[in-house]
Amino acid sequence: AAGQCGAVTSPSSPLSPPSGCDDLIGAVFELGRTLCRLQLSDEELALFTAAILLSPDRPWLTESKKVQKLQDKIYVALQHEIQKKHSAEDKLSKMVSKLPLMKTICNLHLDKLEFFRLLHPETAMNFPPLYKEVFNSELQYSDPRES
């Protein structure tokens, strides 16, 4: 919920992250801190999440123009919600400015996941079905040269 920035802290347990994942974990926590500073309402966060999920640039999409139209409508609703709450006028641009970092995090995650699948194929086969459904399509189409 809005205003709960204290909940976004780096793990302080004696357990260390998996080897080679420091960059990914650090980027996730930095994103969390910067989004938390924006103090998004539940409605703003829900609309922003929907706009991100409705990304028309996925290579496997067959109707990307329709997805773009839906995403545009979500951004209009988000802008309306921000104005309704009398938030700072630049709030939406600050939110959108986080998209490149999110893309970087996604690419880092896909790289780490692919590396993990190569090292531990037997474990990767037992990933939960939803996880496999979401990330198998991304792994098939991800291109390490894109970033």
Side-chain angles (χ1 to χ4, degrees):
Q4 295 182 346
C5 288
V8 181
T9 58
S10 297
S12 58
S13 73
L15 299 174
S16 61
S19 179
C21 289
D22 293 346
D23 51 348
L24 175 61
I25 293 170
V28 169
F29 277 99
E30 182 56 31
L31 175 65
R33 280 190 288 273
T34 58
L35 286 177
C36 203
R37 283 186 213 116
L38 294 175
Q39 297 182 332
L40 303 177
S41 69
D42 290 342
E43 296 82 4
E44 291 166 343
L45 185 59
L47 289 166
F48 188 49
T49 300
I52 292 166
L53 291 173
L54 288 170
S55 180
D57 65 350
R58 310 250 188 239
W60 42 265
L61 279 177
T62 56
E63 302 275 351
S64 61
K65 288 183 182 183
K66 288 182 180 179
V67 174
Q68 179 66 56
K69 286 181 181 180
L70 284 171
Q71 187 186 51
D72 291 345
K73 289 178 182 181
I74 297 292
Y75 275 122
V76 168
L78 177 56
Q79 183 64 47
H80 176 75
E81 186 63 30
I82 290 169
Q83 290 169 345
K84 187 172 88 175
K85 300 265 193 237
H86 306 290
S87 296
E89 289 184 24
D90 63 342
K91 191 174 197 176
L92 182 58
S93 63
K94 286 180 179 178
M95 293 165 74
V96 171
S97 75
K98 303 305 171 205
L99 293 176
L101 176 57
M102 291 179 189
K103 188 86 158 166
T104 298
I105 289 171
C106 181
N107 289 334
L108 276 171
H109 179 253
L110 290 173
D111 289 347
K112 303 297 182 193
L113 181 59
E114 181 59 23
F115 184 71
F116 182 84
R117 284 173 25 141
L118 291 172
L119 284 179
H120 307 285
E122 68 290 343
T123 302
M125 293 296 288
N126 293 316
F127 281 166
L130 179 60
Y131 195 86
K132 286 195 278 191
E133 182 179 334
V134 169
F135 293 108
N136 276 341
S137 63
E138 291 291 335
L139 285 169
Q140 291 170 351
Y141 293 101
S142 66
D143 184 346
R145 295 168 291 182
E146 294 176 6
S147 287

